[in-house]
Amino acid sequence: MRHLSSSRLILGCLLGLLLGASPMQAALPQAPGFLAGQHAKNGIACAECHGKGRPVKVDDNETTVNEGCVRCHGSLKEVGAKAQGHINPHVSHLGDIACTACHGGHRGSWAYCGNCHGFELKIPFPATVMKPAEAAPKPPQPASVRRRERTDVVVIGSGAAGMVAALTAHDAGAKVVVLEKQPITGGNSMLAAGGMNAAATRFQAKKGIKDSVELMVKDTMTGGKNLNELELVKILAEQSAASVEYLTELGADLSDVGRMGGASVDRTHRPQGGKAVGAHIVDVLRANAVKRKLDVRVNSRVVRLLENRQGRITGVLVQGRHRGFYRIDAKAVVLAAGGFSANPERVAHYQPTFQGMTSSNQPGATGDGLDLGAAAGGVLKDMEQIQIHPSIAAGSRILITEAVRGNGAILVNREGKRFVNEITTRDAASKATLAQPGQSAFMVFDEGVRQSLKQIDGYFHLELVKEGATPEALAAAIQVPPQALKETLDRYNQAVAAKADAEFKRPDLPRALTTPKFYAIEVKPGVHYTMGGLKISTRTEVMAKDGKPIPGFFAAGEVTGGVHGANRLGGNSISETITFGRIAGAQAAAAAHAPVKP
Ligand code: MEZ
């Protein structure tokens, strides 16, 4: 056992202060939950890691801190393999994230997953949930900021749109910096479940699915109530197959194809076996970023876009968690900071009737990217167009993917009866669910559906599923009238056999629900996606009020408005992030290489 000398402790506390701890935190190194305290309790002084000649230097990525953790404790995977318990916080869909995303040297540790999940974790520190948006102190005037860097392209946001833009700009020869305000990369893309829409792909052809760009355009426009910008929708559909190929070349598996609401044919691409698409794609993008040694910084919030007298965007003012304020001068900026579904006040401002609803989004989806864009002169459009997803597990923030319904599940109410075409558009399914007693529904499926979609296993793991060996036993478990549920299933199975759903006109009836066991998850609508955002051109240039593009400023993904109109179709979001991320990256690289007027 190593012993602490008091001088080492004092040095450790001083270092704690230097590393951003409050005086109280630094003065209480023994406090439970602080890693400094835990280490001190085990006889390991701060100075064993920090200080002159020591390996741990604290940057905003906290890279060397994490290297320090891994050196003693092993990788996240190794720690995960050792940990026990039904819910293991070291093994999750968040992938290989930094230890410091959850653990703090001089602040209480938290379980990052607690931002979305509500499970009880038996962990050796009092978990505190991270506040979604830490208020930034008033930023200084850019001119007074002395720390300056220079690059070709800055990308704000590290979801799929941002990472694809960054990889594309890098591959076109630009020097790129990616800035992410959260402690982990991936944004909402990390949580994407059902898949990525694309028309006329080789994976569809292999399964004999006949699709076309025109049909994808038609479905997307109809789903969006024709409020969409047709030219953007055409790009989405025309480029979609190439975007699937692009991801496949990077190492992704999108070979499974299923159906989402509002689609005329199966065009939603996802990994074999029906695994969730988002975590897989984010993993692939991260690996490609590492391979290219891309400069990706977490804990790095952009507080302002910089512009010159001619209105050209010339860089960003950044607030790093440890570094403080600094500026990056850039020849082009790509904004890919996502939407605002995790900002209940903003949601209620645009849609008062959504007040108090749960959300499926990650905590960083607060809409501050929209503020940055608007402050730089970008025009916002369709801000009141907010999508609620019909199936969030009741009492939680867990999205039950539309793919479960796409693969055959039905929705029944508390009377045990169907009430809607389950694969209609999300707005229609949500409205119908809110009209049912209790404003919720049960998503009912059988073992056949379970076996068809790997991601359903996760809902069992999270204990969201009720089950029964027969329809009647399931009915008892969810407290609906047994005879009614049995009759509903019989009628539905007859419709499947007849290939026609006379009652609700469900257009796709992939399988009968006859294989025990029978399962149900209670679901409620929740805020899922914000269709509005910055107006962009077909080249992803951010448009100003005068109808002209703002030079040097590009945007892609949920921070933009126009692609989805009044209602986004499931599977079109990941498709949008890849296609428009690629365009934004290429445009930004081109703008960076073009001679820039002073
Ligand atoms: O695109 C989406 O939002 C999507 C596919 C969600 C889901 O239900 O899985």
Side-chain angles (χ1 to χ4, degrees), residues 140-151:
Q141 283 305 315
S144 70
V145 176
R146 301 188 113 196
R147 284 198 217 170
R148 272 173 100 146
E149 293 177 29
R150 220 173 262 287
T151 192

Side-chain angles (χ1 to χ4, degrees), residues 193-195 260 389 399-403 426 528 568-573:
M260 287 283 152
H389 190 293
L399 179 91
I400 307 300
T401 175
E402 201 168 303
R426 289 173 179 178
H528 182 57
R568 177 175 68 76
L569 292 189
N572 268 355
S573 174

Side-chain angles (χ1 to χ4, degrees), residues 418-464:
R418 284 178 75 208
F419 55 89
V420 71
N421 155 20
E422 290 84 359
I423 55 167
T424 181
T425 52
R426 289 173 179 178
D427 55 341
S430 295
K431 194 168 164 213
T433 303
L434 289 172
Q436 303 310 306
Q439 300 193 313
S440 73
F442 294 99
M443 192 184 288
V444 174
F445 54 100
D446 72 346
E447 188 62 24
V449 174
R450 181 184 181 178
Q451 293 303 330
S452 74
L453 197 71
K454 189 83 190 113
Q455 51 196 298
I456 293 178
D457 289 349
Y459 311 141
F460 283 86
H461 185 65
L462 295 173
E463 298 179 350
L464 298 170

Side-chain angles (χ1 to χ4, degrees), residues 318-331:
V318 191
Q319 186 191 17
R321 178 156 165 226
H322 300 285
R323 240 184 123 178
F325 290 100
Y326 64 102
R327 52 186 286 176
I328 307 180
D329 298 325
K331 294 174 190 153

Side-chain angles (χ1 to χ4, degrees), residues 3-13:
H3 292 283
L4 282 178
S5 74
S6 56
S7 60
R8 270 180 153 194
L9 251 184
I10 290 166
L11 177 62
C13 295

